[in-house]
Amino acid sequence: MKLLGRFLLLLALGVPFTSCATKTWLSSFESLKGVTPPTYQSPLAALKLFKNEIDSRGLFEKAKRGTLTNAESLFLSIAAHLAQRQQDLEARLEKDGVVDILPRIPYAFTLESFCVQPSKSSPVPSDGLSLSENQNVLRELVRKIVSGYSRNGVSRERAQLLIWSIESGLKFDEIRPDLQDDLLRISPDAHLELGNSSMERLRQELWDKFKPDEIAALEYELKKARKFLTDSKRSYEQISSVLAPESERTKSYPQSWFKSSNGFLIRARSRSGYVSVDVEIIKPDGIDPAFIPTTFVARPQEGQLLAISASMGGDLIEFVDQLVQLGRRIGQGVLTQTERDLIAEHPIHAFYWGKNAIVAVVKMRGLYPDEKTFEGNEADAF
């Protein structure tokens, strides 16, 4: 009866079971242009739904007291499985800088990002971002910083200061001494790549005599940026307000899906100005391509270019860890492998599956208050 109930509930939620449903989904997916794929369900959005429901029902507290109902335990098992999967993917991405994209499985990450165009305005929150590969866009040294700052113990803010310093044209000896140490940890040959300011001054004197007015205006902006970056008394916030000013726009641009060169669909939006990006990915079918976030750059319709890292941002990290720890205590053995696969493929459906189980038990207790068990009786049939 329990398995039949689960099966009927999944059918009611519209979860596809047959190859026919999969083919229908694929054909509609391939024909989409700038519209959300009909079966894409963000695991991060699902985790937010779980968080709100867990908080409103006080389920963490009930778990501590050992007063969870079977339905609540099932709900938490679903949430914990989804959280464990998300945490494993994020750990793999941060450690290796790459994660494989399995067909029909939705992926979502909040990744730290960087402004690589000083003095241009930041994206507004939720700005849809255009994506492209960064091979011919970013300087090699900037790519090294974006790829290596985290594993070399450099904070996102200090990595951003390094990127601004390089993009503003500072030579190695002009960069703040404390940042020079960070840069050498990331790229031991950085002093050779950036050169020395004394040689640059000779070249600049010749260039100043012949440069066009448009170039002179651009260099003036970069000179202002360099002045801020070499002033060790200025805080990060002060520097950021000049080199990545807030946009005057209040309305964000919409998101669109893009097809990457290796076949998966991806879209991105600014989460918090230039400092983090929400990325969503799905692959219709075929081989398992690799997602390497540091190979992409993102740009809003207006504003600065962003480099994307493999380091996690966002506000669900602590909640996900709580769920994972709870899942280890209460166990996830109640879930079959088929159910685990469905949770990965349809995380938002899984949320409603678990929530409706709780609602059903509450209603059942109201309708059958005298039943002590829900096995083989009218309450079970309900």
Side-chain angles (χ1 to χ4, degrees):
M1 178 62 75
K2 289 180 179 177
L3 288 176
L4 177 61
R6 285 188 182 183
F7 180 75
L8 291 174
L9 182 55
L10 287 168
L11 283 179
L13 289 171
V15 177
F17 283 91
T18 66
S19 59
C20 178
T22 302
K23 288 177 182 176
T24 302
W25 174 75
L26 285 175
S27 61
S28 62
F29 188 87
E30 294 290 352
S31 66
L32 292 174
K33 293 182 179 179
V35 180
T36 303
T39 60
Y40 178 82
Q41 297 181 16
S42 167
L44 289 181
L47 284 166
K48 287 180 182 178
L49 290 172
F50 276 110
K51 184 179 188 306
N52 292 339
E53 193 71 16
I54 288 169
D55 289 346
S56 67
R57 293 183 181 274
L59 295 187
F60 280 156
E61 290 73 18
K62 291 187 73 174
K64 289 178 183 177
R65 296 195 302 267
T67 57
L68 291 170
T69 66
N70 288 341
E72 289 168 342
S73 292
L74 173 64
F75 181 78
L76 287 176
S77 294
I78 297 169
H81 174 69
L82 183 61
Q84 182 71 69
R85 173 179 168 76
Q86 185 69 23
Q87 190 178 76
D88 290 346
L89 286 169
E90 291 179 355
R92 197 177 314 153
L93 196 55
E94 287 198 294
K95 179 178 179 289
D96 302 330
V98 59
V99 68
D100 289 334
I101 304 300
L102 301 178
R104 297 183 300 281
I105 302 295
Y107 295 80
F109 303 102
T110 297
L111 301 170
E112 291 184 343
S113 55
F114 296 92
C115 163
V116 292
Q117 287 181 309
S119 300
K120 286 205 170 188
S121 61
S122 295
V124 302
S126 298
D127 247 350
L129 302 172
S130 298
L131 291 163
S132 63
E133 295 177 342
N134 69 24
Q135 187 173 3
N136 299 315
V137 178
L138 298 183
R139 299 170 189 247
E140 178 62 26
L141 189 52
V142 170
R143 281 206 296 271
K144 289 180 181 178
I145 293 170
V146 173
S147 300
Y149 74 98
S150 182
R151 64 172 173 266
N152 283 285
V154 178
S155 69
R156 200 212 70 83
E157 289 186 356
R158 293 175 71 82
Q160 179 65 80
L161 290 173
L162 282 171
I163 291 171
W164 278 332
S165 298
I166 293 166
E167 292 294 338
S168 298
L170 289 179
K171 298 302 175 182
F172 183 80
D173 61 312
E174 296 174 312
I175 294 174
R176 282 171 28 187
D178 58 318
L179 293 176
Q180 290 178 15
D181 294 338
D182 290 340
L183 184 54
L184 289 174
R185 284 209 305 278
I186 297 169
S187 178
D189 295 329
H191 60 297
L192 300 176
E193 294 181 58
L194 291 178
N196 188 282
S197 59
S198 58
M199 295 297 294
E200 176 64 15
R201 275 193 291 271
L202 294 174
R203 187 199 65 79
Q204 188 67 38
E205 288 174 4
L206 291 172
W207 169 243
D208 286 344
K209 296 178 181 179
F210 304 104
K211 63 187 174 188
D213 292 341
E214 295 84 356
I215 299 296
L218 176 61
E219 286 195 344
Y220 175 72
E221 291 297 323
L222 292 177
K223 191 176 290 185
K224 284 200 304 183
R226 289 194 288 269
K227 183 177 180 181
F228 269 81
L229 289 162
T230 54
D231 186 352
S232 60
K233 294 181 180 179
R234 293 191 182 274
S235 67
Y236 179 84
E237 289 72 20
Q238 289 174 318
I239 296 172
S240 178
S241 67
V242 172
L243 300 191
E246 291 186 6
S247 174
E248 295 180 356
R249 286 186 295 118
T250 56
K251 187 177 180 180
S252 61
Y253 289 111
Q255 283 182 285
S256 294
W257 288 92
F258 297 87
K259 190 170 185 178
S260 72
S261 59
N262 51 3
F264 57 76
L265 297 189
I266 182 170
R267 69 177 180 178
R269 66 172 174 265
S270 167
R271 181 178 182 81
S272 179
Y274 64 89
V275 301
S276 59
V277 171
D278 288 329
V279 175
E280 297 176 333
I281 306 166
I282 194 163
K283 174 75 169 70
D285 216 332
I287 61 172
D288 305 341
F291 170 55
I292 307 174
T294 55
T295 61
F296 288 91
V297 289
R299 187 197 297 274
Q301 196 166 325
E302 292 179 31
Q304 62 197 219
L305 187 70
L306 304 180
I308 302 174
S309 80
S311 295
M312 298 299 143
D315 54 6
L316 286 175
I317 295 174
E318 184 178 346
F319 170 71
V320 165
D321 190 58
Q322 278 184 288
L323 269 180
V324 169
Q325 297 302 322
L326 178 62
R328 289 170 184 163
R329 292 202 304 273
I330 66 175
Q332 299 173 35
V334 295
L335 299 174
T336 67
Q337 187 57 50
T338 299
E339 289 165 347
R340 290 167 186 253
D341 293 342
L342 285 169
I343 291 167
E345 193 167 342
H346 306 278
I348 292 178
H349 281 169
F351 164 77
Y352 287 107
W353 171 27
K355 179 180 177 180
N356 288 344
I358 295 176
V359 172
V361 169
V362 171
K363 288 184 178 294
M364 191 159 49
R365 290 187 185 281
L367 291 170
Y368 302 95
D370 298 329
E371 295 286 1
K372 294 183 179 179
T373 68
F374 302 127
E375 297 289 341
N377 52 28
E378 289 185 2
D380 192 5
F382 172 84

